[in-house]
Amino acid sequence: MNRSTTIMTVASVAVGGVLAYAVYFDYKRRTDANFRKQLRKEKKRVKQSQSQTPSESAQTATEGVDANDLRSALESVRNEEVPAGPEEKEQYFMKQVGIGEQLCAKGPIYHLSAAMCFYRALRVYPSPVELVVIYEKTVPPPVFQLVMELTNLDVKDRVEGYYTFFPPKAMNVAVETINVPDGKGATMSKKVLVVTKDFEAGEVIYQEDPIVAVLDADLQGKGTHCSYCLRQIQNDPIRPESDRLHSVYCSSDCQTQHNAHSQTLLFTLESPLPAAIAPEMKGAQREERENAQKAFVEYLIQTKRAAPELVARFVARQVSAETAKMLPRGILPGVASEPVLTDGGEYSLYDHLERLRYLEVNPADHETRVLKDVLQTALPGLEQFLTEDRHATFIGKMSYNSYGVYFGEGRENKPDTAARPENAEKTRTPCGTSKQIGTGFYAVSSYISHNCAPSAKPVFPTGTAQLQLMATRALQKGDEITIAYVDVLQHSEETPEVARRRRRMELARGWRFACSCKRCAEEGLEGEIEEGGDESRVEDVVTRVEGS
């Protein structure tokens, strides 16, 4: 396979590792003899029609099928409705494979039509990489080549067209690429957020709900704030009887949403899958799952850091999103639909996270293991998704991109951290991390860069984790949006020099770059931290794709 196909398979493994409905297909493969028989039949039937050599077949495949034919075929398949439920997907899969086999036997003139059938089957199969391997061994080479060309064309469109769909135009912003100083005397390309219309100071540019959000460790379980929306609770909180994290809620709706998105998988003994396909959990399995959750909770309490919990909830929410696809309406009963992050296109939560910048970090030796144990005991096989490298990257992305949730001017009673200043967890909080009540991860707002004289400010006027981005000065269409990652104000007890050193030191410690904004340059940098390179980066696969 060529490089585009390799990228496709890497992405498929990453996302496919958390496809909840894979459990259903695995169950069918293990228990349904007819299902296994149909899969095996393909190899026997197709081999009978393979009379050409691979080289002759490949040459035949390219004759009469040009780029326009492939594009038309792909658009035709894209416009077709895909079955929603697992049983419908299975029937659709078997039907398309069967038709593809019949068309293969009719000769080269039907090869593109056959490839379209096999490609349709590939779209609904829970493990695309596995099916590609099966195709390579059983489908006639010319048809397999066409299937791969359709796949590569689809992946190319998805990768290159991502920022055509993201973010939604209704949010009044777009992502653009600019060159910025890298701190080493050169420049580097960086994606930033710009406004797509004019705004006056004080106007709200957009609002965004978090993909995941968590309370600060000292507030978790205290009954003062909702564990889901982070709202301050005025009346008696709802306290679930069985919850390892001692979560509390301001309403039954928040409890339902939290359970569906992540709580059930991570901190209860209930199955995160629909009852129809949920595996039975026996006594020993329940005990193993309970012990895994206890170990994870103990780690969260010990470290008092938000990033490990954010990563866990992000992985769990991916499972929730894929589980919802199994249902006819695409949503779980009583649960709000997934946030609309694109204007069209089929993108998962992982697609959004994959493109973001991150810091290279080294999680504690057993941090990955305790989370993998939770995932494995909840859905065996899910732990394979979380390799040590991927977990470290996820932690780095949450550390670099997360926002502090604060109300008003922020709180004054947050306990001091025991961590060394250079190791203390930081969030993008204009009033300072010490004023926040929780942490949220936001897909669109992650693209906003820092500036010590920002053009916008994240605020939380609803009293929940819903972020509203407010312009702090007049903005014209095309202007870059910037915010203050740290408290950039000069306080009464500070001299201008002390205030500048403080904010620049916090940026260097939290995000590993020396600020080169206009304000810093105008105020002078004598006697301050040396200019250093921006240590944030994007994943290699993203660099390769965008570079090509």
Side-chain angles (χ1 to χ4, degrees):
M1 301 181 194
N2 61 28
R3 184 175 64 178
S4 298
T5 303
T6 302
I7 294 174
M8 181 276 295
T9 57
V10 170
S12 297
V13 169
V15 179
V18 295
L19 290 177
Y21 62 74
V23 176
Y24 174 85
F25 277 82
D26 289 340
Y27 174 78
K28 296 289 285 187
R29 281 195 290 264
R30 285 184 281 105
T31 62
D32 193 326
N34 290 329
F35 188 87
R36 297 196 306 270
K37 183 178 179 181
Q38 287 285 354
L39 289 177
R40 290 196 301 266
K41 251 173 71 174
E42 182 180 354
K43 183 174 182 178
K44 295 180 180 179
R45 293 181 59 180
V46 172
K47 273 190 173 181
Q48 297 175 0
S49 64
Q50 291 179 322
S51 57
Q52 294 175 297
T53 65
S55 59
E56 292 172 338
S57 298
Q59 182 177 359
T60 303
T62 58
E63 294 175 355
V65 179
D66 58 21
N68 291 330
D69 294 330
L70 286 171
R71 170 63 64 183
S72 297
L74 179 60
E75 292 299 329
S76 175
V77 175
R78 281 177 175 171
N79 292 330
E80 296 171 0
E81 186 174 351
V82 177
E87 293 185 1
E88 291 81 5
K89 279 186 169 71
E90 177 196 342
Q91 295 170 4
Y92 179 84
F93 169 80
M94 300 308 301
K95 178 181 178 180
Q96 293 301 323
V97 169
I99 296 175
E101 292 173 350
Q102 296 173 17
L103 292 173
C104 283
K106 291 185 177 183
I109 194 173
Y110 292 96
H111 280 173
L112 180 57
S113 297
M116 291 172 65
C117 291
F118 290 121
Y119 180 70
R120 291 187 185 100
L122 184 65
R123 294 179 73 200
V124 300
Y125 197 74
S127 180
V129 178
E130 175 188 6
L131 189 57
V132 166
V133 173
I134 294 175
Y135 281 171
E136 189 173 21
K137 295 178 179 179
T138 62
V139 173
V143 178
F144 176 74
Q145 179 180 335
L146 290 173
V147 173
M148 289 296 93
E149 289 181 4
L150 286 171
T151 302
N152 293 338
L153 184 59
D154 188 25
V155 171
K156 182 175 182 292
D157 288 348
R158 282 168 48 82
V159 171
E160 295 181 353
Y162 175 77
Y163 291 108
T164 302
F165 299 106
F166 174 90
K169 292 179 175 59
M171 295 186 74
N172 306 312
V173 294
V175 175
E176 291 189 356
T177 303
I178 64 172
N179 290 323
V180 297
D182 65 355
K184 302 176 182 178
T187 61
M188 66 178 189
S189 63
K190 185 177 183 180
K191 287 188 164 49
V192 299
L193 211 60
V194 301
V195 292
T196 56
K197 57 179 284 189
D198 296 347
F199 287 93
E200 295 297 329
E203 284 192 279
V204 174
I205 301 171
Y206 66 75
Q207 64 183 31
E208 182 178 15
D209 291 319
I211 302 299
V212 288
V214 301
L215 276 174
D216 281 354
D218 68 298
L219 297 177
Q220 180 61 44
K222 294 296 190 296
T224 59
H225 292 77
C226 179
S227 297
Y228 178 68
C229 73
L230 312 193
R231 184 193 304 274
Q232 188 170 2
I233 299 176
Q234 303 296 334
N235 302 314
D236 292 336
I238 297 175
R239 296 181 181 272
E241 293 183 2
S242 176
D243 187 300
R244 299 282 173 272
L245 206 58
H246 307 296
S247 303
V248 297
Y249 302 100
C250 65
S251 67
S252 58
D253 180 63
C254 279
Q255 182 181 8
T256 299
Q257 306 300 323
H258 211 207
N259 284 343
H261 288 166
S262 59
Q263 197 74 4
T264 296
L265 189 154
L266 298 173
F267 302 112
T268 78
L269 296 181
E270 300 174 14
S271 174
L273 297 179
I277 62 171
E280 181 182 357
M281 183 173 295
K282 300 180 180 179
Q285 293 172 312
R286 290 177 63 86
E287 183 178 359
E288 185 179 6
R289 186 178 179 191
E290 183 175 15
N291 291 336
Q293 291 178 1
K294 286 181 178 178
F296 184 50
V297 170
E298 288 176 2
Y299 180 79
L300 294 178
I301 294 174
Q302 175 189 355
T303 60
K304 295 180 173 61
R305 299 176 70 87
E309 186 179 347
L310 286 170
V311 169
R313 292 195 183 278
F314 181 85
V315 173
R317 183 148 193 188
Q318 289 184 90
V319 174
S320 173
E322 298 302 331
T323 300
K325 295 178 183 178
M326 301 167 55
L327 306 177
R329 295 178 57 195
I331 59 174
L332 296 167
V335 178
S337 57
E338 287 298 309
V340 179
L341 297 175
T342 58
D343 289 327
E346 298 178 1
Y347 296 101
S348 68
L349 294 179
Y350 183 82
D351 286 314
H352 301 303
L353 184 71
E354 183 180 43
R355 289 164 170 79
L356 296 179
R357 303 191 75 83
Y358 70 101
L359 295 172
E360 288 189 324
V361 297
N362 295 310
D365 292 339
H366 64 294
E367 183 176 311
T368 305
R369 178 176 55 78
V370 292
L371 179 52
K372 285 171 69 79
D373 288 345
V374 170
L375 300 178
Q376 189 274 330
T377 55
L379 284 176
L382 184 59
E383 76 284 354
Q384 297 177 21
F385 168 74
L386 198 73
T387 63
E388 289 189 359
D389 287 344
R390 182 172 291 129
H391 184 231
T393 299
F394 280 14
I395 293 290
K397 295 200 177 196
M398 294 300 170
S399 300
Y400 186 81
N401 296 290
S402 293
Y403 280 71
V405 178
Y406 64 97
F407 304 140
E409 298 301 319
R411 65 168 170 151
E412 302 289 345
N413 61 346
K414 184 172 182 176
D416 293 333
T417 177
R420 294 172 60 88
E422 61 271 23
N423 296 327
E425 194 171 48
K426 296 286 186 182
T427 59
R428 302 179 183 184
T429 316
C431 59
T433 303
S434 63
K435 299 291 186 72
Q436 70 177 46
I437 58 97
T439 305
F441 168 67
Y442 304 82
V444 177
S445 299
S446 292
Y447 285 89
I448 304 178
S449 296
H450 166 82
N451 195 293
C452 294
S455 63
K457 180 180 181 180
V459 293
F460 303 86
T462 64
T464 69
Q466 183 187 74
L467 182 153
Q468 292 188 12
L469 190 68
M470 182 182 68
T472 55
R473 63 169 181 260
L475 294 171
Q476 294 183 333
K477 180 179 178 181
D479 285 350
E480 180 186 353
I481 298 172
T482 58
I483 64 166
Y485 287 6
V486 300
D487 182 0
V488 296
L489 299 178
Q490 178 186 335
H491 298 282
S492 58
E493 71 277 8
E494 294 179 318
T495 64
E497 292 76 14
V498 169
R500 183 173 62 249
R501 290 193 185 100
R502 171 183 53 77
R503 73 174 190 256
R504 290 175 59 79
M505 185 62 72
E506 288 183 16
L507 291 169
R509 287 170 171 170
W511 293 270
R512 301 182 198 167
F513 71 90
C515 185
S516 58
C517 74
K518 183 179 179 181
R519 178 182 171 185
C520 285
E522 290 178 346
E523 291 180 355
L525 306 174
E526 291 81 3
E528 305 206 5
I529 58 174
E530 296 181 359
E531 291 289 335
D534 187 336
E535 295 185 24
S536 69
R537 55 176 299 178
V538 294
E539 292 190 51
D540 291 340
V541 64
V542 175
T543 301
R544 290 197 301 270
V545 170
E546 294 184 349
S548 64

